[in-house]
């Protein structure tokens, strides 16, 4: 089993950690026009300052990405057992996954959970960026199975998140909205934040050994927010610590799909992770992938961010 601990985190001294906390606290809630804190003074360990998204460090090195025929067959069988039909198999959903093989990436940090409504609200309040919502006409134009009325529990009111959902993942955000938040957070902190590539997301979600799910090779519906156990809705982030990846990433299966920086076909970007709407959950495997239109604002799609180390 690949260890979630890294030499980097093991070697940070208590003295350095104390200094880091002071520096990260100082870089929060900067007033307009204030100088940003240089990245060299920000912790590389994943320890956040107040208001910063918490991150986990993904070490440099090789890992297994993608799937082979046996894993794809497992995904199809999970779906068939959950839904009682073979639609995903008939449509070849998992046949388009990256062929299983070894990849290598440099080290990076990734937010431990998806960005929450509360975190996104600070961006909306400061920049005046459009709040997460969608019109009835736009929603109908997507041709999705969910009725428009279901979007209302996720939509914001007068620039504020829905009541009681501050710690839920932000949804109804397009790919461009996610990029705008990343650019704002970069300006605020002096660090460079961005959407993860498909490979970065996959390594963070499944570790180096190519396991089928973040926690191992066997599907366990108690380890994620999926339609298998309900509640058929988003939940506050981090509710399933037993479903974490080897690096400590949370909610990488179920909860919401997540935008990546990796393009699909024209005008689309790959999303990863599965959602609260899915059963089975073949699509919740980190190797699973599909592309969505970049302008789509879906109740099933949120995002998390990475920064280079």
């Amino acid at each position: 089993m690949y260890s979630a601990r890294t030499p980097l985190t093991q070697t940070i001294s208590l003295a350095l950690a104390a200094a880091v906390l002071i520096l990260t606290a100082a870089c929060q809630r900067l007033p307009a026009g204030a100088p940003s804190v240089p990245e060299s003074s920000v912790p590389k360990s994943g320890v956040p300052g107040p208001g910063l998204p918490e991150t986990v460090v993904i070490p440099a090195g090789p890992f297994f990405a993608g799937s082979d025929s046996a894993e794809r067959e497992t995904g199809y069988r999970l779906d068939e057992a959950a839904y009682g039909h073979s639609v995903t198999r008939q449509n070849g959903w998992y046949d388009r996954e990256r062929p299983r093989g070894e990849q290598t990436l440099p080290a990076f940090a990734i937010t431990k959970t998806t960005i929450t409504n509360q975190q996104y609200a600070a961006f909306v309040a400061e920049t005046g960026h459009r709040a997460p919502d969608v019109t009835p006409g736009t929603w109908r134009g997507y041709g999705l199975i969910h009725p428009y009325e279901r979007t209302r529990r996720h939509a914001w009111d007068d620039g504020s998140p829905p009541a009681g959902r501050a710690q839920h993942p932000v949804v109804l955000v397009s790919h461009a909205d996610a990029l705008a938040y990343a650019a704002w957070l970069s300006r605020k902190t002096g660090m460079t934040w961005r959407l993860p590539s498909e490979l970065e997301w996959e390594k963070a979600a499944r570790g180096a050994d190519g396991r089928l799910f973040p926690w191992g090779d066997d599907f366990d519906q108690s380890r994620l927010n999926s339609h298998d156990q309900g509640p058929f809705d988003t939940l506050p982030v981090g509710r399933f610590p037993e479903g974490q990846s080897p690096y400590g990433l949370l909610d990488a299966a179920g909860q919401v799909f997540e935008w990546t920086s990796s393009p699909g076909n024209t005008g689309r970007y790959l999303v990863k992770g599965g959602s609260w709407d899915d059963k089975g959950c073949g699509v919740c495997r980190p190797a699973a992938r599909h592309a969505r239109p970049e302008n789509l604002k879906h109740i099933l799609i949120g995002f998390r961010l990475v920064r280079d180390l």
Side-chain angles (χ1 to χ4, degrees), residues 223-264:
R223 294 176 183 261
L224 78 167
N225 178 18
S226 69
H227 192 22
D228 298 280
Q229 289 193 345
F232 199 61
D233 194 359
T234 55
L235 287 171
V237 299
R239 281 283 183 90
F240 297 88
E242 66 279 8
Q244 67 182 316
S245 80
Y247 302 116
L249 200 74
L250 295 173
D251 297 332
Q255 184 79 295
V256 292
F257 286 102
E258 301 175 27
W259 288 115
T260 74
S261 63
S262 298

Coordinates of all heavy atoms in Angstrom, one line a residue, residues 223-264:
R223 N -18.5 4.6 1.7 CA -17.3 5.4 1.7 C -17.4 6.7 0.8 O -16.5 7.4 0.6 CB -16.1 4.6 1.2 CG -15.7 3.5 2.1 CD -14.5 2.7 1.6 NE -14.1 1.6 2.4 CZ -13.1 1.6 3.3 NH1 -12.3 2.6 3.4 NH2 -12.8 0.5 4.0
L224 N -18.6 6.9 0.2 CA -18.8 8.1 -0.7 C -20.2 8.5 -0.7 O -21.1 7.8 -0.3 CB -18.3 7.7 -2.1 CG -19.3 6.9 -3.0 CD1 -18.8 6.9 -4.4 CD2 -19.4 5.4 -2.5
N225 N -20.4 9.7 -1.2 CA -21.8 10.2 -1.4 C -22.3 9.9 -2.8 O -21.9 10.6 -3.8 CB -21.8 11.8 -1.2 CG -23.2 12.3 -1.4 OD1 -24.2 11.6 -1.4 ND2 -23.3 13.7 -1.6
S226 N -23.0 8.8 -2.9 CA -23.6 8.4 -4.2 C -25.1 8.1 -4.0 O -25.6 8.1 -2.8 CB -22.9 7.2 -4.8 OG -23.2 6.0 -4.0
H227 N -25.8 7.8 -5.0 CA -27.2 7.5 -4.9 C -27.5 6.1 -4.3 O -28.6 5.8 -4.1 CB -27.8 7.6 -6.3 CG -29.3 7.6 -6.4 ND1 -30.1 8.0 -5.3 CD2 -30.2 7.3 -7.3 CE1 -31.4 7.9 -5.6 NE2 -31.5 7.5 -6.8
D228 N -26.4 5.4 -4.1 CA -26.6 4.1 -3.5 C -27.2 4.2 -2.1 O -28.1 3.4 -1.7 CB -25.3 3.3 -3.4 CG -24.7 3.1 -4.8 OD1 -25.1 2.1 -5.4 OD2 -23.8 3.8 -5.2
Q229 N -26.7 5.1 -1.3 CA -27.2 5.3 0.1 C -27.9 6.7 0.3 O -28.3 7.0 1.4 CB -26.1 5.1 1.1 CG -25.6 3.7 1.2 CD -24.7 3.5 2.5 OE1 -24.2 4.4 3.1 NE2 -24.5 2.2 2.8
G230 N -27.9 7.5 -0.8 CA -28.5 8.8 -0.6 C -27.6 9.8 0.0 O -26.4 9.5 0.1
P231 N -28.0 11.1 0.2 CA -29.4 11.5 0.2 C -29.9 12.1 -1.2 O -30.9 12.8 -1.2 CB -29.4 12.6 1.2 CG -28.0 13.3 1.0 CD -27.1 12.1 0.7
F232 N -29.2 11.7 -2.3 CA -29.6 12.2 -3.6 C -29.4 13.8 -3.6 O -30.3 14.5 -4.1 CB -31.0 11.8 -4.0 CG -31.2 11.9 -5.5 CD1 -30.5 11.2 -6.4 CD2 -32.2 12.8 -6.0 CE1 -30.7 11.3 -7.8 CE2 -32.4 12.9 -7.4 CZ -31.7 12.1 -8.3
D233 N -28.3 14.2 -3.1 CA -28.0 15.7 -2.9 C -26.5 15.8 -2.5 O -25.9 14.8 -2.1 CB -28.9 16.3 -1.9 CG -28.9 17.8 -1.9 OD1 -28.3 18.4 -2.7 OD2 -29.6 18.3 -1.0
T234 N -26.0 17.0 -2.7 CA -24.7 17.2 -2.1 C -24.7 17.2 -0.6 O -25.8 17.3 0.0 CB -24.2 18.6 -2.6 OG1 -25.1 19.6 -2.2 CG2 -23.9 18.6 -4.1
L235 N -23.6 17.0 0.0 CA -23.4 17.0 1.4 C -22.2 17.9 1.8 O -21.4 18.2 0.9 CB -23.1 15.6 1.9 CG -24.2 14.6 2.0 CD1 -23.7 13.2 2.3 CD2 -25.3 15.0 3.0
P236 N -22.1 18.4 3.0 CA -20.9 19.1 3.4 C -19.6 18.3 3.0 O -19.6 17.1 3.1 CB -21.0 19.3 4.9 CG -22.5 19.2 5.1 CD -23.0 18.3 4.1
V237 N -18.6 19.0 2.5 CA -17.4 18.3 2.1 C -16.7 17.6 3.3 O -16.9 18.0 4.4 CB -16.4 19.3 1.4 CG1 -17.0 19.9 0.2 CG2 -15.9 20.3 2.4
G238 N -16.0 16.5 2.9 CA -15.2 15.8 3.9 C -16.0 14.9 4.9 O -15.5 14.5 5.9
R239 N -17.2 14.5 4.5 CA -18.0 13.7 5.4 C -17.6 12.2 5.3 O -18.1 11.4 6.1 CB -19.5 13.8 5.0 CG -20.2 15.0 5.4 CD -20.6 14.9 6.9 NE -21.3 16.1 7.4 CZ -22.7 16.2 7.4 NH1 -23.4 15.2 6.9 NH2 -23.3 17.2 7.9
F240 N -16.8 11.8 4.4 CA -16.4 10.4 4.3 C -14.9 10.2 4.4 O -14.2 9.9 3.4 CB -16.9 9.9 2.9 CG -18.4 9.9 2.8 CD1 -19.1 11.1 2.3 CD2 -19.2 8.9 3.2 CE1 -20.4 11.1 2.2 CE2 -20.6 8.9 3.1 CZ -21.2 10.0 2.6
P241 N -14.3 10.4 5.6 CA -12.9 10.2 5.7 C -12.4 8.8 5.4 O -11.3 8.6 5.0 CB -12.6 10.6 7.2 CG -14.0 10.4 7.9 CD -15.0 10.8 6.8
E242 N -13.3 7.8 5.6 CA -12.9 6.5 5.2 C -12.8 6.2 3.7 O -12.3 5.2 3.3 CB -13.9 5.5 5.8 CG -15.3 5.6 5.3 CD -16.2 6.7 5.8 OE1 -15.7 7.5 6.6 OE2 -17.4 6.7 5.5
G243 N -13.2 7.2 3.0 CA -13.1 7.1 1.5 C -12.0 7.9 0.9 O -11.9 8.1 -0.3
Q244 N -11.0 8.3 1.8 CA -9.9 9.2 1.3 C -9.0 8.4 0.5 O -8.9 7.1 0.6 CB -9.2 9.8 2.5 CG -8.5 8.8 3.4 CD -7.8 9.5 4.6 OE1 -7.2 10.6 4.4 NE2 -7.9 8.9 5.7
S245 N -8.2 9.1 -0.4 CA -7.2 8.4 -1.2 C -5.9 8.2 -0.4 O -5.8 8.7 0.8 CB -6.8 9.4 -2.4 OG -5.9 10.4 -2.0
P246 N -4.9 7.5 -0.9 CA -3.7 7.3 -0.1 C -3.0 8.6 0.3 O -2.2 8.6 1.2 CB -2.8 6.5 -1.1 CG -3.8 5.8 -2.0 CD -4.9 6.7 -2.2
Y247 N -3.3 9.7 -0.4 CA -2.7 11.0 -0.1 C -3.5 11.8 0.8 O -3.2 12.9 1.2 CB -2.3 11.8 -1.3 CG -1.4 11.0 -2.3 CD1 -1.8 10.6 -3.5 CD2 -0.1 10.7 -1.9 CE1 -1.0 10.0 -4.4 CE2 0.7 10.0 -2.7 CZ 0.3 9.6 -4.0 OH 1.1 9.0 -4.8
G248 N -4.7 11.3 1.2 CA -5.6 12.1 2.1 C -6.6 12.9 1.3 O -7.3 13.7 1.9
L249 N -6.8 12.8 0.0 CA -7.8 13.5 -0.8 C -9.1 13.0 -0.4 O -9.4 11.8 -0.3 CB -7.5 13.3 -2.3 CG -8.1 14.3 -3.2 CD1 -7.4 15.7 -3.1 CD2 -8.2 13.9 -4.6
L250 N -10.1 13.9 -0.2 CA -11.4 13.5 0.2 C -12.4 13.8 -0.9 O -12.2 14.7 -1.7 CB -11.9 14.4 1.4 CG -11.1 14.1 2.7 CD1 -11.5 15.0 3.8 CD2 -11.3 12.6 3.2
D251 N -13.5 13.0 -0.9 CA -14.6 13.2 -1.9 C -14.2 13.1 -3.3 O -14.7 13.7 -4.2 CB -15.3 14.5 -1.7 CG -15.9 14.7 -0.3 OD1 -16.3 13.7 0.2 OD2 -16.0 15.8 0.2
A252 N -13.2 12.2 -3.6 CA -12.7 12.1 -5.0 C -13.6 11.1 -5.7 O -13.5 11.0 -7.0 CB -11.2 11.6 -5.0
A253 N -14.4 10.4 -5.0 CA -15.5 9.5 -5.6 C -16.8 10.0 -5.1 O -17.0 10.2 -3.9 CB -15.2 8.0 -5.3
G254 N -17.8 10.1 -6.0 CA -19.1 10.6 -5.6 C -19.1 12.1 -5.3 O -18.2 12.8 -5.7
Q255 N -20.1 12.6 -4.6 CA -20.3 14.0 -4.3 C -20.6 14.8 -5.5 O -21.8 15.0 -5.9 CB -19.1 14.5 -3.5 CG -19.3 16.0 -3.0 CD -20.1 16.1 -1.8 OE1 -21.3 15.9 -1.8 NE2 -19.6 16.6 -0.7
V256 N -19.6 15.3 -6.2 CA -19.8 16.0 -7.5 C -18.6 15.6 -8.5 O -17.5 15.3 -8.1 CB -19.9 17.5 -7.4 CG1 -21.1 17.9 -6.6 CG2 -18.6 18.1 -6.7
F257 N -19.0 15.6 -9.8 CA -17.9 15.6 -10.8 C -17.1 16.9 -10.6 O -17.5 17.9 -10.1 CB -18.5 15.5 -12.2 CG -19.0 14.2 -12.5 CD1 -20.4 14.0 -12.5 CD2 -18.2 13.1 -12.9 CE1 -21.0 12.7 -12.9 CE2 -18.7 11.9 -13.3 CZ -20.1 11.7 -13.2
E258 N -15.8 16.8 -11.2 CA -15.0 18.0 -11.0 C -14.3 18.3 -12.4 O -13.8 17.5 -13.1 CB -13.9 17.6 -10.0 CG -14.4 17.3 -8.6 CD -13.4 16.8 -7.7 OE1 -12.2 17.3 -7.8 OE2 -13.7 16.1 -6.7
W259 N -14.3 19.6 -12.7 CA -13.7 20.1 -13.9 C -12.2 19.9 -13.8 O -11.6 20.0 -12.7 CB -13.9 21.6 -14.0 CG -15.2 22.1 -14.4 CD1 -16.1 22.9 -13.6 CD2 -15.9 21.9 -15.6 NE1 -17.2 23.2 -14.3 CE2 -17.2 22.6 -15.6 CE3 -15.6 21.2 -16.8 CZ2 -18.1 22.6 -16.6 CZ3 -16.5 21.2 -17.9 CH2 -17.7 21.9 -17.8
T260 N -11.6 19.5 -15.0 CA -10.1 19.5 -15.1 C -9.7 20.5 -16.2 O -10.6 21.0 -16.9 CB -9.6 18.1 -15.4 OG1 -9.9 17.8 -16.8 CG2 -10.2 17.0 -14.5
S261 N -8.4 20.7 -16.3 CA -7.9 21.5 -17.4 C -7.7 20.8 -18.7 O -7.3 21.4 -19.7 CB -6.6 22.1 -16.9 OG -5.6 21.1 -16.7
S262 N -8.0 19.5 -18.7 CA -7.7 18.7 -19.9 C -8.9 18.7 -20.8 O -10.0 18.4 -20.5 CB -7.5 17.2 -19.5 OG -6.3 17.1 -18.6
P263 N -8.6 19.1 -22.1 CA -9.7 19.2 -23.1 C -10.2 17.9 -23.5 O -9.5 16.9 -23.6 CB -9.1 20.0 -24.2 CG -7.6 19.7 -24.1 CD -7.3 19.6 -22.6
G264 N -11.5 17.8 -23.8 CA -12.1 16.7 -24.5 C -12.2 17.0 -26.0 O -11.3 17.6 -26.6

